[in-house]
């Protein structure tokens, strides 16, 4: 069961192999092109919140994370003490209420049971303002029974997203970190 207890135990015992220890270069490249720093940004399942750290440091003060693990959030706020604690939301993404211009995906989708993919798409759509964007990285390796991380392909992702979103980008990321090079897709969807 990939519930709060599962993730709590992973953070409490330091089994966080997914944590790259810094903001993702592919996401930074996207953030650097954003002209308006006042937009409302959500990062769900953000773990230690390195991307939030980058955003706040670069003036995107309306950025928040939500994570189901209180220990992850404690570790994140310890790492980024300048960010107000109110920007670290504890809770289940699927129950979250809000309205965002931009939502950022980074190893959250792949951490969920594949059964939840249709709900993920619906919830992202609900949380975005009209014209809002969902951007980020998705793994590009075959979906098997084992996970997390659970994989997928561009075709599978396209089938999930294209009912509710305009797909602006869904292609191999050129700026993945070394261990993930060739195994990630960068995507940008518009509501
Ligand atoms: C594989 S980790 C990735 C963390 C972070 N994105 C990173 O790249 O370091 C998945 C994260 O999603 C969180 N999570 C899992 N299910 C969640 C849910 N339903 N709502 C909010 N967060 C959730 C976990 O606590 C964990 O921090």
């Amino acid at each position: 069961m990939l519930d709060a207890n599962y993730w709590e135990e992973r953070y409490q015992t330091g089994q966080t192999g997914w944590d790259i220890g810094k903001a993702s270069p592919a996401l930074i490249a996207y953030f650097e092109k954003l002209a308006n720093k006042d937009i409302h940004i959500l990062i769900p399942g953000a773990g230690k919140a390195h991307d939030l750290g980058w955003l706040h440091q670069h003036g995107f003060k309306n950025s928040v994370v939500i994570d189901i693990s209180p220990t992850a959030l404690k570790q994140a706020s310890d790492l980024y003490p300048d960010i107000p604690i109110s920007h670290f939301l504890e809770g289940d993404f699927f129950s979250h209420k809000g309205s965002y211009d931009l939502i950022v995906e980074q190893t959250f989708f792949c951490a969920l049971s594949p059964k939840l993919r249709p709900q993920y798409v619906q919830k992202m759509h609900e949380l975005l303002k009209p014209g809002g964007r969902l951007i980020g990285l998705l793994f590009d390796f075959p979906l098997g029974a084992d996970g997390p991380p659970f994989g997928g392909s561009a075709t599978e992702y396209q089938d999930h997203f294209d009912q509710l979103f305009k797909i602006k980008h869904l292609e191999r990321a050129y700026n993945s970190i070394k261990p993930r090079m060739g195994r990630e897709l960068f995507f940008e969807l518009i509501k």
Side-chain angles (χ1 to χ4, degrees), residues 124-140:
M124 288 295 183
H125 188 262
E126 178 195 313
L127 289 172
L128 283 168
K129 297 177 189 174
R133 284 160 202 249
L134 170 61
I135 69 110
L137 295 159
L138 295 168
F139 278 126
D140 185 15

Side-chain angles (χ1 to χ4, degrees), residues 61-118:
K61 301 292 184 195
N62 294 320
S63 309
V64 299
V65 295
I66 181 166
D67 203 287
I68 207 164
S69 160
T71 301
L73 293 168
K74 167 82 173 69
Q75 293 177 1
S77 65
D78 286 350
L79 274 172
Y80 300 103
D82 294 343
I83 303 177
I85 201 76
S86 59
H87 292 234
F88 298 92
L89 308 175
E90 185 189 324
D92 185 345
F93 163 75
F94 293 99
S95 317
H96 182 56
K97 301 268 181 273
S99 182
Y100 297 93
D101 301 290
L102 179 66
I103 305 183
V104 179
E105 167 57 51
Q106 157 91 327
T107 60
F108 174 53
F109 182 91
C110 70
L112 299 169
S113 161
K115 281 194 309 235
L116 292 174
R117 290 182 176 182

